């Protein structure tokens, strides 16, 4: 009788722990390093690419305004994590066909890359990574490159937590853009694309 009670207690504890592990995996906050590793090994991603253009006006004292045209490209990559893959693999083929992947995925990382080069002038390259927990941005890494006429690069990198972003009013940078507003705009586009998939 005592042995049966111990076995029942052990079984109950095992079931509770396994259920708890499943819930914590679903709501687990990964580190930036872990997110990068997951994206390399078990990556479900969506890629969107396109071409872009820009116009820059340069005013000289006593001269007319010169307009310089720029051309380039951009891409978004959205990385998703399927948090219950072992459960999916345990399903029958028929159950797998009915499985709702969009309900069981979560956003881990978004990337935005762009390059824009102006005629007979400089170029701008932006590489950025946005990290998420429960579909909310918690960290951003941004690399800005300004390339002059002679193909010499000036590079500036940012590694910003959401707390640093929220505390700063403006973030000075080599591309003279409002970096905080730019991060907000790119984050909104990544979140919108992710939610459109659901």
């Amino acid at each position: 009788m005592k042995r049966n009670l111990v076995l029942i207690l052990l079984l109950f504890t095992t079931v509770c722990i396994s259920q708890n592990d499943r819930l914590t995996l679903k709501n687990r906050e990964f580190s930036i390093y872990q997110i990068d590793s997951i994206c390399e090994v078990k990556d479900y991603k969506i890629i969107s690419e396109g071409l872009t253009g820009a116009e820059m006006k340069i005013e000289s004292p006593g001269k007319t305004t010169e307009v310089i045209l720029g051309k380039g490209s951009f891409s978004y990559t959205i990385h998703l994590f399927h948090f219950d893959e072992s459960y999916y693999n345990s399903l029958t083929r028929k159950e797998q066909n009915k499985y709702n992947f969009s309900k069981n995925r979560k956003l881990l990382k978004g990337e935005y890359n762009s390059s824009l080069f102006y005629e007979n002038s400089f170029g701008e390259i932006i590489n950025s990574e946005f990290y998420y927990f429960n579909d909310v941005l918690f960290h951003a890494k941004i690399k800005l490159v300004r390339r002059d006429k002679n193909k010499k690069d000036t590079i500036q990198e940012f590694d910003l937590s959401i707390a640093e972003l929220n505390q700063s009013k403006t973030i000075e940078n080599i591309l003279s853009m409002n970096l905080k507003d730019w991060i907000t705009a790119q984050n909104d586009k990544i979140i919108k694309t992710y939610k459109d998939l659901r």
Side-chain angles (χ1 to χ4, degrees):
M1 177 71 173
K2 197 174 191 181
R3 197 173 93 200
N4 290 341
L5 184 61
V6 170
L7 286 173
I8 290 171
L9 183 62
L10 183 62
L11 179 63
F12 177 75
T13 306
T14 305
V15 169
C16 289
I17 290 171
S18 68
Q19 288 296 324
N20 193 28
D21 285 347
R22 196 168 174 189
L23 290 174
T24 55
L25 185 58
K26 178 180 178 181
N27 296 315
R28 183 172 174 201
E29 182 173 1
F30 295 107
S31 69
I32 293 169
Y33 174 77
Q34 288 171 322
I35 289 173
D36 287 338
S37 294
I38 290 167
C39 291
E40 285 180 26
V41 177
K42 294 184 177 185
D43 198 15
Y44 298 92
K45 63 184 169 187
I46 296 101
I47 300 172
S48 175
E49 300 174 319
L51 299 175
T52 187
E55 186 178 280
M56 182 174 50
K57 295 180 181 179
I58 301 174
E59 294 181 23
S60 304
K63 293 185 179 179
T64 60
T65 302
E66 183 182 358
V67 177
I68 301 174
L69 300 176
K71 294 180 181 179
S73 62
F74 69 91
S75 71
Y76 286 97
T77 305
I78 298 172
H79 301 268
L80 306 172
F81 178 59
H82 187 314
F83 59 81
D84 202 356
E85 190 172 350
S86 61
Y87 171 71
Y88 174 78
N89 290 336
S90 71
L91 298 174
T92 66
R93 183 68 69 194
K94 189 174 183 179
E95 290 170 326
Q96 286 179 349
N97 290 339
K98 293 180 181 179
Y99 190 74
N100 186 349
F101 280 99
S102 61
K103 182 181 175 186
N104 293 300
R105 288 186 300 216
K106 69 180 190 176
L107 176 62
L108 277 184
K109 182 178 175 181
E111 296 177 43
Y112 173 80
N113 299 300
S114 72
S115 58
L116 184 63
F117 295 96
Y118 293 94
E119 297 172 343
N120 303 319
S121 189
F122 66 93
E124 300 172 349
I125 301 168
I126 302 173
N127 297 312
S128 57
E129 299 172 292
F130 301 90
Y131 296 88
Y132 296 89
F133 173 66
N134 286 340
D135 304 341
V136 176
L137 179 68
F138 76 89
H139 200 89
K141 290 182 181 180
I142 298 158
K143 180 180 178 183
L144 304 175
V145 179
R146 183 176 175 100
R147 184 168 290 162
D148 66 14
K149 291 180 193 179
N150 301 322
K151 307 252 187 225
K152 183 181 175 191
D153 291 346
T154 305
I155 300 170
Q156 188 175 25
E157 295 185 26
F158 298 92
D159 198 349
L160 304 164
S161 70
I162 195 67
E164 292 170 315
L165 280 171
N166 290 336
Q167 289 174 357
S168 63
K169 290 183 180 178
T170 60
I171 301 170
E172 299 290 325
N173 60 79
I174 58 174
L175 299 183
S176 302
M177 63 182 195
N178 186 332
L179 195 59
K180 187 174 178 178
D181 288 348
W182 182 86
I183 290 170
T184 301
Q186 300 314 315
N187 175 55
D188 291 345
K189 289 177 186 175
I190 289 168
I191 293 288
K192 182 185 181 314
T193 303
Y194 167 66
K195 288 189 174 178
D196 286 348
L197 296 171
R198 299 192 108 185

